[in-house]
Amino acid sequence: MIELTYEDFTPGRCFDLGTTVVDGDEMVAFARRFDPQPFHVDDDAAAASIFGGLAASGWFTAGLWMRAYVDSVLARAASVGSPGGEEIRWPAPVFAGDELRASMEVLEARRSRSRPGLGLVRLRAFMHRGDELVYRSTFTGMFATRDAV
């Protein structure tokens, strides 16, 4: 059921996307398949690395944020995709067992000039472990307008 349309994404609005606890087995399985650097998959190599232990792939962390976004916002929104973004950062490592809080802020919103019924929303994603930022990205979401739904 659609509850959120373009008009609900007003600049300055923040969304709390909830928390997730990093599952170590999932973290390593993802790294083995998509990012098999030694500090993501090998205990000994990770212990000797700058991380001091197995660290999650940044792409895994991005995936955790995306899941929170889908569950908290997109599942009830008139989303029609995303043309991409301009920033992705993971300024601090993530480890198995970490409790991460995801959030999102609406930076800008404008109606599409070429597609009536479509709004473009510039969003900033955050994920924190306590007060420490572990993930940030900036991207554009596309949402149908209320009159188009």
Side-chain angles (χ1 to χ4, degrees):
M1 178 172 184
I2 294 175
E3 299 172 29
L4 299 169
T5 62
Y6 163 75
E7 292 82 0
D8 297 303
F9 294 90
T10 55
R13 183 171 182 186
C14 295
F15 290 83
D16 179 349
L17 307 180
T19 61
T20 188
V21 175
V22 178
D23 180 285
D25 292 336
E26 258 184 13
M27 181 183 91
V28 172
F30 177 94
R32 282 191 180 123
R33 178 148 188 222
F34 299 107
D35 191 359
Q37 297 180 73
F39 45 82
H40 294 322
V41 297
D42 180 275
D43 285 314
D44 293 334
S49 75
I50 62 171
F51 303 116
L54 284 175
S57 166
W59 300 110
F60 178 77
T61 304
L64 293 176
W65 184 88
M66 187 68 201
R67 181 59 198 232
Y69 177 44
V70 169
D71 290 348
S72 297
V73 174
L74 293 184
R76 58 192 184 99
S79 172
V80 293
S82 170
E86 64 224 46
E87 172 196 40
I88 188 167
R89 295 174 166 241
W90 28 82
V94 168
F95 302 99
D98 283 353
E99 183 175 354
L100 305 176
R101 173 160 294 284
S103 62
M104 178 181 76
E105 178 184 7
V106 178
L107 301 176
E108 301 169 11
R110 68 173 178 84
R111 282 189 177 250
S112 171
R113 290 182 286 277
S114 61
R115 291 186 175 168
L118 181 71
L120 299 159
V121 181
R122 192 162 166 256
L123 302 160
R124 178 152 299 138
F126 300 99
M127 191 167 267
H128 289 85
R129 176 184 45 239
D131 291 332
E132 185 175 27
L133 181 67
V134 299
Y135 173 76
R136 183 175 84 191
S137 69
T138 306
F139 65 99
T140 299
M142 299 185 302
F143 296 90
T145 60
R146 197 165 283 123
D147 59 346
V149 175

